[in-house]
Amino acid sequence: MTPPPNTLLTPATENAQVKATNGCGCSSSSSATDGLDEKMRTRIEKHPCYSEEAHHHYARMHVAVAPACNIQCNYCNRKFDCANESRPGVVSELLTPEEAAHKVLVIAGKIPQMTVLGIAGPGDPLANPEKTFRTFELIAEQAPDIKLCLSTNGLMLPEYVDRIKQLNVDHVTITINMVDPEIGSQIYPWVHYRRRRYKGLEAARILHERQMEGLQALKEADILCKVNSVMIPGINDQHLVEVNRVIREKGAFLHNIMPLISAPEHGTHFGLTGQRGPTPKELKTIQDNCSGNMKMMRHCRQCRADAVGLLGEDRSQEFTKDKFMEMAPQYDLELRQEVHSGIEKFKEEIKLAKAKVKPSERVKDSPKILVAVATKGGGIVNQHFGHAKEFQIFEVDANEAKFVGHRKIDQYCQSGYGEDATLEYVIQAIADCKAVLVSKVGECPKAELREAGLQVVEAYDVIEKVAREFYDQYLQTQPS
Ligand code: CLF
Ligand code: SF4
């Protein structure tokens, strides 16, 4: 099998057509679209957040048009972007709706794989309804193939579901951290609702009721709803199973449990009071506990309010305001459709490649292991160890290699040299894995990885194939 060149979303290939090649490429095997009917599959197949499979191939962008917020979360500092959909400590450049539309048209030309425009801050989009809806209107008029997406704390959602429907926004995220106001009062010190500020239990009760009402209204309007929950150990970690049950019953499509990221330098209440975030293991355990009930999102990267690119990459610095305002819009619907159909063909080949490594019958009770994968996208092991800024984590057994998360790391190789301290930290981040799958790695880090008990597999091929081949070898070395 000849692996395809990694043509997806590298700056050098902007505008490049993505070609289908012979028998290559792969994403995780248990497709997030399994079990969905055709209509639903079509609604999510190009949305990188709603479809795990799509996130290997399609990109999203955010425009930061919504500065105000109407609640206070204890994990948020208003100097930074909304932490419900972004990493704390990040500040985005604020845009007007017209500037935002210009930016979208520029990026739609430069990154034709960008299929979704989300508004997720830097405050709450529905606390800034004019700016949010004006932006959506401009984009719907000028770039009709781009899906519109919105993320909100839910306080004002019931008021705006009709408007959202009318604008053809098909994907809405609500951040729901509790369904019990007692727990909510430990997360939200106040909400500002209908010209009044409410505190404590009353604030949490209002927010909870509005979130439930909004979720119900989205369901009735047939708008796909994802729920984000921030996992806060000791406050709502055990409670998230109940949140999962309630949102499922109310018709949410997908649940994304994200770790609290909390550091004193972010200046948040939780950061300053020493509230810790969950470990990767704690996060996975709660996601696993909920996964029997509904689809869980495990590929969220907690991106910025001005994020651009594939979920695992950040190209926002290529499109700062001073840069994109100098660029001419290059939106070309025909070219975009051509690129998308290339990606769809490529995905078909991926499916075939995956089918080839799948056993004809399900193997019972095969042990599971984790492997760490360096990839630039496309579902292929195609990144040098030293260039990785994150590892995708796959859980592998005799039946499948399943994407279960990612680990952010500092890039090991800086200006051609590897940093020992960074390597130590990288090894720690993936210490629970049995192997690291990379396109290439230097001799020095390879030896240290092996010494730390991690096997190193160098390959340039379908993730699933490489992972399963390693798994078979690994089993042979284990005592029976
Ligand atoms: Fe943006 Fe959110 Fe839409 Fe995606 S992000 S508004 S649903 S287009 Fe995606 Fe980013 Fe996670 Fe959000 S990875 S933080 S879930
Ligand atoms: Fe901050 Fe977002 Fe919460 Fe508002 S909703 S306080 S911007 S995290």
Side-chain angles (χ1 to χ4, degrees), residues 47 49 62 85 116 149 173 226 297 300-303 311:
H47 197 307
C49 303
H62 289 166
E85 276 258 340
V116 178
C149 192
T173 296
K226 169 166 76 64
M297 178 180 188
C300 175
R301 302 302 202 276
Q302 289 170 277
C303 35
L311 296 195

Side-chain angles (χ1 to χ4, degrees), residues 69 71-73 75-76 78 81-84 122-124 153:
C69 190
I71 69 172
Q72 179 63 55
C73 304
Y75 47 75
C76 180
R78 288 301 171 63
D81 290 0
C82 176
N84 284 342
D124 185 75
N153 60 39

Side-chain angles (χ1 to χ4, degrees), residues 22-71:
N22 288 333
C24 287
C26 163
S27 63
S28 72
S29 68
S30 43
S31 164
T33 57
D34 281 354
L36 295 180
D37 65 32
E38 199 48 43
K39 196 172 155 222
M40 190 60 91
R41 214 174 288 210
T42 312
R43 284 171 79 179
I44 64 161
E45 71 184 355
K46 289 185 190 163
H47 197 307
C49 303
Y50 281 68
S51 159
E52 189 264 308
E53 195 181 357
H55 105 281
H56 296 287
H57 308 280
Y58 291 105
R60 54 74 185 97
M61 68 174 288
H62 289 166
V63 284
V65 294
C69 190
N70 43 16
I71 69 172

Side-chain angles (χ1 to χ4, degrees), residues 405-456:
H406 70 282
R407 309 269 166 85
K408 289 237 180 267
I409 49 160
D410 289 338
Q411 189 172 326
Y412 167 63
C413 187
Q414 302 281 350
S415 324
Y417 296 98
E419 281 286 334
D420 282 351
T422 310
L423 183 58
E424 221 178 285
Y425 160 72
V426 173
I427 289 173
Q428 262 175 30
I430 55 172
D432 53 346
C433 297
K434 298 292 179 211
V436 54
L437 319 184
V438 295
S439 65
K440 212 76 194 132
V441 57
E443 287 309 315
C444 213
K446 192 193 282 184
E448 293 209 30
L449 285 160
R450 284 187 173 148
E451 206 170 303
L454 280 150
Q455 299 207 39
V456 180

Side-chain angles (χ1 to χ4, degrees), residues 114-420:
M114 186 277 289
T115 45
V116 178
L117 179 268
I119 300 184
D124 185 75
L126 297 182
N128 306 262
E130 289 83 18
K131 289 178 182 135
T132 296
F133 295 139
R134 182 66 191 139
T135 305
F136 282 148
E137 272 168 8
L138 289 171
I139 289 157
E141 277 163 23
Q142 298 171 67
D145 71 324
I146 292 177
K147 281 183 183 299
L148 305 176
C149 192
L150 168 75
S151 176
T152 175
N153 60 39
L155 185 68
M156 296 311 291
L157 185 56
E159 258 86 341
Y160 293 117
V161 169
D162 290 346
R163 184 89 180 99
I164 289 169
K165 181 75 183 169
Q166 191 193 20
L167 282 164
N168 207 17
V169 178
D170 197 32
H171 300 77
V172 172
T173 296
I174 317 175
T175 298
I176 300 180
N177 296 321
M178 53 84 198
V179 290
D180 173 353
E182 288 283 351
I183 292 175
S185 65
Q186 297 172 62
I187 303 170
Y188 306 104
W190 57 259
V191 308
H192 194 269
Y193 180 56
R194 295 196 173 149
R195 297 174 194 278
R196 259 192 73 189
R197 182 174 286 220
Y198 297 86
K199 290 185 179 165
L201 199 57
E202 201 182 9
R205 187 184 47 74
I206 291 170
L207 182 62
H208 166 60
E209 285 170 3
R210 304 286 291 167
Q211 289 178 335
M212 294 301 108
E213 218 182 300
L215 180 53
Q216 184 80 35
L218 289 175
K219 172 83 184 151
E220 282 159 17
D222 191 27
I223 296 167
L224 286 184
C225 179
K226 169 166 76 64
V227 168
N228 282 359
S229 301
V230 180
M231 180 176 175
I232 311 161
I235 293 185
N236 73 348
D237 47 346
Q238 300 309 316
H239 178 61
L240 288 178
V241 177
E242 176 64 4
V243 172
N244 178 269
R245 186 189 65 76
V246 170
I247 61 162
R248 174 173 44 100
E249 279 174 13
K250 292 203 178 286
F253 174 75
L254 189 65
H255 194 187
N256 173 24
I257 299 181
M258 316 188 295
L260 171 76
I261 301 173
S262 177
E265 61 270 27
H266 297 150
T268 64
H269 173 77
F270 282 155
L272 295 171
T273 53
Q275 171 64 52
R276 73 170 179 94
T279 63
K281 198 171 168 205
E282 287 170 335
L283 181 68
K284 184 173 181 302
T285 302
I286 193 81
Q287 288 171 334
D288 288 347
N289 287 346
C290 295
S291 67
N293 302 325
M294 68 183 289
K295 290 196 180 299
M296 302 299 295
M297 178 180 188
R298 298 176 192 246
H299 58 282
C300 175
R301 302 302 202 276
Q302 289 170 277
C303 35
R304 311 163 49 113
D306 61 358
V308 176
L310 285 176
L311 296 195
E313 68 178 0
D314 181 7
R315 294 181 61 180
S316 53
Q317 291 313 302
E318 291 171 48
F319 301 101
T320 50
K321 193 161 155 184
D322 55 332
K323 291 180 186 157
F324 79 73
M325 288 308 280
E326 296 291 309
M327 300 176 192
Q330 298 170 319
Y331 177 79
D332 178 341
L333 182 59
E334 218 170 290
L335 171 75
R336 287 177 53 80
Q337 285 170 338
E338 234 174 274
V339 170
H340 297 176
S341 89
I343 293 174
E344 289 306 310
K345 277 192 204 136
F346 183 60
K347 279 167 65 189
E348 279 307 309
E349 306 227 359
I350 285 169
K351 240 191 219 165
L352 287 177
K354 280 161 66 174
K356 276 190 193 156
V357 289
K358 206 170 182 165
S360 49
E361 272 182 36
R362 197 162 173 83
V363 181
K364 277 190 192 153
D365 302 327
S366 76
K368 292 182 192 302
I369 60 165
L370 297 180
V371 299
V373 178
T375 174
K376 290 185 274 186
I380 303 165
V381 181
N382 58 6
Q383 193 170 39
H384 192 291
F385 174 81
H387 299 163
K389 290 185 179 154
E390 68 166 37
F391 284 105
Q392 293 192 359
I393 306 297
F394 282 72
E395 189 174 73
V396 195
D397 64 14
N399 299 297
E400 62 184 3
K402 187 169 74 175
F403 177 97
V404 290
H406 70 282
R407 309 269 166 85
K408 289 237 180 267
I409 49 160
D410 289 338
Q411 189 172 326
Y412 167 63
C413 187
Q414 302 281 350
S415 324
Y417 296 98
E419 281 286 334
D420 282 351

